[in-house]
Amino acid sequence: MACLQELKSTDADFPISAIRRAGYDAVWRGEKTWNGVAILARGRTPVRTRSELPGDAKDTQSRYIEAAVGGVLIGCLYAPNGNPQPGPKFAYKLAWLERLNRHAKSLLDEGVPVVLAGDYNVVPTPFDIYDTHSYDKDALVQPKSRAAFQRLLAQGWTDAIRTLHPDDRIYTYWDYMRNRWPRDAGLRLDHLLLSPDLAKRLAASGVDRAVRGEPNASDHAPAWVELRAMTTRRKAPAKRARVAPRTATRRAASGPSPRRPLLVIDGDSFAHRAYHALPKTIRRDRNQPAGAILGFANMLLRLHRAEQPRAVLVAWDTLEAPTYRHEAFADYQGGREFDDDIVEQLAVIPDFVRACGFANAKAPGYEADDFLAAAVAREEKRGGTALVASGDRDTFQLASDRTTILYPQRGGEMARIDPGEVRKRYGVDPKQVPDFIALRGDPSDRIPGLPGVGAVGAADLVRRYGSLEALLAAGRYAGHAERLRLFRAIATMDPKAPLPVLRDQAPRWPEAAALARKWRLVNLAERIEAMAASHA
């Protein structure tokens, strides 16, 4: 496989046809100017897991992409140059590297094999640059840049090139100016960092410097790494393997244990997001569509690793059956049409949820939102805490001191919405959100709201009167009372929706991996197997 940086190509202009004719497939994120990153795999389809480095929703530069390939998670990056420094470009570089450090730590915590490869635009040490003072003020060699790289290594990453070549002057970049290539006046800017499990499989690494001398060559030479095939480790003898865990289990049971949350997921919300985010060329057995399946599975696994819930419930709409909302208001969600490919995948994603050992909730007459509300009500009643993952802001009405909403952001990050954040965003308390929606309206559900009242006006009315009922009792908008009450009922989630039993669950990763293999989603299966092995 290969990681590319500085594509200098839009997404539409990326030469995927030529790449596929050469026997590769790819995921990419382009940009018209100097940025852009891509991951290529020979004989496999990389499964994209991220298109942006998390941590800054306003950052639109195409500098990071992540995909699963052959059971290994690949992060391809193009860090900012940072010149001139000091200045805003250098500040952006340092902030970007700090975000990379945070994300890299989260990847290590997930326990899956990872390679972080690309142009880091950092010269780690004076040994990684030719003998010169001409770069002394350059952002590439500044102490803060180097310190960020060292903090990354200190997390447990292995610099694949320096580890195998500790005493060699190795460069990956030679500027076009001042005859630097003929003089071998180079810098080492391109690095391949390996997670601890992959570092044990490191067989060889190097730089194909001769490529730099070819006509019209890039000013960077390819850096590479070879990994040994993964071997199956023998289990230790039974007597030695079991004594210590039993003792540890008893000791842990005798002390207090933290209560883990219930994780409730809006299945339709994330399946639709995945369907529109991933290429439609991703297929499974019998050439059936698989983009939504893969994207949803990646989200589910990532959330489970990050949150370690006691149980998982995935809630679903019933597309073929109307709810009381549709019957009460004919225009509710009017005009929604779904591609056949997403409908087909929505029918089978619950099979993957079950294979993982998790629960589904679906019933005619109810929407996914209703099951979210019912699960939260039950969990709070039993004294537990809940996490609600959804891209629908209607779920903000469920936020409380025991329930947090996980709301997706750009780059795959999840914002954590608590009551304070609801007030910050909407200007009302969570329990007032249905009143707010009734007055403001909701274009996605075709709820028109009160004519001439936008978000600011709706929040002001709710704060002033305390509730929609109090507003109507005061004689305001009497001509709209019936419709406003209807809109509020539609926006209110039903906490009485029927739920399955939600006892503590133990994930069944081998069953999930077997289903992925049955569907011929090999990369997904290998990723689940690697995750299962790391927790065995």
Side-chain angles (χ1 to χ4, degrees), residues 4-9 33-37 78 119 218-220:
L4 307 180
Q5 300 87 39
E6 290 189 89
L7 300 182
K8 302 177 184 176
S9 165
T33 53
W34 298 97
N35 302 324
V37 283
Y78 176 44
D119 181 356
S218 166
D219 46 10
H220 291 258

Side-chain angles (χ1 to χ4, degrees), residues 189-348:
L189 300 178
D190 305 272
H191 312 296
L192 297 105
L193 303 190
L194 309 180
S195 59
D197 44 2
L198 288 186
K200 297 175 183 177
R201 295 165 51 189
L202 178 58
S205 64
V207 177
D208 289 338
R209 57 177 289 138
V211 175
R212 176 62 177 82
E214 296 292 332
N216 301 314
S218 166
D219 46 10
H220 291 258
W224 54 268
V225 62
E226 290 183 6
L227 302 176
R228 288 184 290 270
M230 184 170 59
T231 57
T232 303
R233 295 183 294 176
R234 284 187 180 179
K235 293 183 179 179
K239 290 183 179 179
R240 296 180 63 88
R242 292 178 181 172
V243 172
R246 283 181 178 174
T247 304
T249 301
R250 292 194 188 100
R251 188 177 299 121
S254 65
S257 59
R259 179 169 290 172
R260 295 181 295 157
L262 171 69
L263 175 60
V264 194
I265 298 173
D266 184 340
D268 290 84
S269 173
F270 284 98
H272 280 279
R273 290 176 68 90
Y275 177 72
H276 292 291
L278 294 178
K280 304 303 182 288
T281 53
I282 298 176
R283 316 298 285 183
R284 66 183 199 275
D285 59 320
R286 293 177 292 172
N287 198 36
Q288 293 176 302
I293 297 172
L294 283 171
F296 180 89
N298 288 334
M299 178 280 305
L300 177 62
L301 299 178
R302 186 164 60 245
L303 274 180
H304 193 274
R305 283 194 304 268
E307 306 299 343
Q308 294 294 299
R310 72 166 191 86
V312 177
L313 174 72
V314 183
W316 302 98
D317 294 336
T318 303
L319 300 181
E320 62 274 14
T323 68
Y324 74 90
R325 297 177 175 94
H326 298 89
E327 294 170 353
F329 184 52
D331 290 337
Y332 179 64
Q333 296 181 340
R336 287 189 178 181
E337 294 184 3
F338 301 141
D339 296 344
D340 290 342
D341 281 0
I342 181 60
V343 173
E344 192 276 336
Q345 292 176 84
L346 284 170
V348 299

